[in-house]
């Protein structure tokens, strides 16, 4: 047998090992960031808008748990859709961000949230489904203040749960998590390890593995 040949059964064994790792990952850290932020994601205006806000907050250079807490605080303050966000004062938005511990970028983010809400109301009547209907969603999302490439990745990675045409969406950060877990780096191979229903929470769990070595340790202990 040459060096380039594999022993019989090597690939099936690898697939079995990968699936065991994925099962452990989903069992220990398999929830989306939207779920963590208290967003019951549905294809309706308010949950989609709240996901967009969460995506903006998560894309800043700040801890994920702080971004999630800030998203919850904005919702708790009643800023659950574009109209309510636009109607809130700049200071009310700053105060809500502060409640969530999001203080480093609070003033700039308050301005971006207000400007973004007004843009969404003007162009889409506050309903992101209209953006989806126009196509070019990634490009259109980047027109929203505070949403760059990372924010687009976060939004579509989570939105694939209700917008399945964007799945499987496994971005570079999720791929980094896969590598840390010893899983294939290929998005297509990763997608083949889970059902369509689990794609969003699988991608989120992979991101958690990329950001926190304890996630990797938890999975290794559970396998």
């Amino acid at each position: 047998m040459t060096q380039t040949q594999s022993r019989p059964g090597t690939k099936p064994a690898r697939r079995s090992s990968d699936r065991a790792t994925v099962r452990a990952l989903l069992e220990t850290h398999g929830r989306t960031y939207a779920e963590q932020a208290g967003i019951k994601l549905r294809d309706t205006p308010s949950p989609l808008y709240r996901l967009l806000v969460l995506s903006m907050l998560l894309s800043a250079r700040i801890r994920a748990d702080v971004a999630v807490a800030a998203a919850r605080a904005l919702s708790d303050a009643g800023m659950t859709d574009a109209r309510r966000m636009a109607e809130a004062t700049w200071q009310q938005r700053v105060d809500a961000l502060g409640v969530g511990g999001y203080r480093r970028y609070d003033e700039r983010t308050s301005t971006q949230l207000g400007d973004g809400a007004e843009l969404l109301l003007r162009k889409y009547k506050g309903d992101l489904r209209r953006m989806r209907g126009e196509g070019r969603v990634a490009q259109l999302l980047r027109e929203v203040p505070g949403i760059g490439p990372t924010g687009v990745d976060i939004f579509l990675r989570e939105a694939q749960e209700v917008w399945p045409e964007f799945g499987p969406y496994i971005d570079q950060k999720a791929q980094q998590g896969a590598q840390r877990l010893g899983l294939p780096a290929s998005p297509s191979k990763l997608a083949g390890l889970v059902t369509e229903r689990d794609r969003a929470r699988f991608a989120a769990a992979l991101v958690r593995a990329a950001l926190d070595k304890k996630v990797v340790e938890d999975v290794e202990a559970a396998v």
Side-chain angles (χ1 to χ4, degrees):
M1 185 171 65
T2 65
Q3 290 183 343
T4 57
Q5 291 175 316
S6 300
R7 293 181 182 276
T10 298
K11 290 184 179 179
R14 172 61 187 270
R15 285 197 296 269
S16 176
S17 174
D18 288 347
R19 291 187 185 281
T21 297
V22 170
R23 282 196 301 271
L25 177 64
L26 291 176
E27 288 170 1
T28 56
H29 295 281
R31 64 172 176 167
T32 64
Y33 284 95
E35 182 182 357
Q36 185 182 351
I39 303 169
K40 294 182 179 179
L41 196 57
R42 297 187 297 272
D43 190 24
T44 55
S46 178
L48 290 170
Y49 176 72
R50 291 174 64 194
L51 174 60
L52 183 65
V53 170
L54 174 63
S55 300
M56 177 197 297
L57 299 175
L58 282 169
S59 64
R61 293 183 178 180
I62 200 163
R63 295 199 321 272
D65 59 341
V66 173
V68 167
R72 277 185 173 272
L74 287 165
S75 294
D76 291 344
M79 302 172 215
T80 55
D81 59 34
R83 184 165 301 282
R84 290 183 176 90
M85 185 67 76
E87 289 174 349
T89 66
W90 180 85
Q91 189 60 53
Q92 286 172 329
R93 293 191 293 267
V94 168
D95 291 344
L97 290 166
V99 169
Y102 201 92
R103 297 184 178 89
R104 184 176 178 184
Y105 303 109
D106 55 352
E107 295 185 356
R108 184 183 69 180
T109 300
S110 175
T111 299
Q112 290 174 333
L113 287 169
D115 291 346
E118 290 175 1
L119 179 145
L120 293 173
L121 288 169
R122 184 172 65 252
K123 295 190 67 173
Y124 308 105
K125 298 184 179 179
D127 189 347
L128 289 169
R129 294 175 300 178
R130 293 173 178 267
M131 183 184 293
R132 178 188 183 188
E134 288 188 17
R136 302 180 296 116
V137 170
Q139 178 182 342
L140 296 175
L141 283 169
R142 291 193 62 178
E143 295 178 358
V144 180
I147 298 292
T150 299
V152 170
D153 279 342
I154 295 168
F155 181 86
L156 293 178
R157 191 174 68 217
E158 301 259 324
Q160 66 181 312
E161 184 174 324
V162 291
W163 290 359
E165 68 269 27
F166 293 101
Y169 200 96
I170 300 176
D171 61 347
Q172 289 186 350
K173 184 61 70 174
Q175 291 171 50
Q176 291 173 15
Q179 291 177 327
R180 294 186 70 176
L181 289 162
L183 293 170
S186 163
S188 60
K189 289 182 179 179
L190 288 169
L193 295 172
V194 294
T195 64
E196 181 177 318
R197 181 185 61 184
D198 288 331
R199 284 175 178 171
R201 68 192 193 100
F202 177 46
L206 289 174
V207 170
R208 295 178 195 279
L211 296 175
D212 187 351
K213 66 179 182 180
K214 186 179 183 302
V215 173
V216 179
E217 293 170 356
D218 289 345
V219 171
E220 290 173 345
V223 172

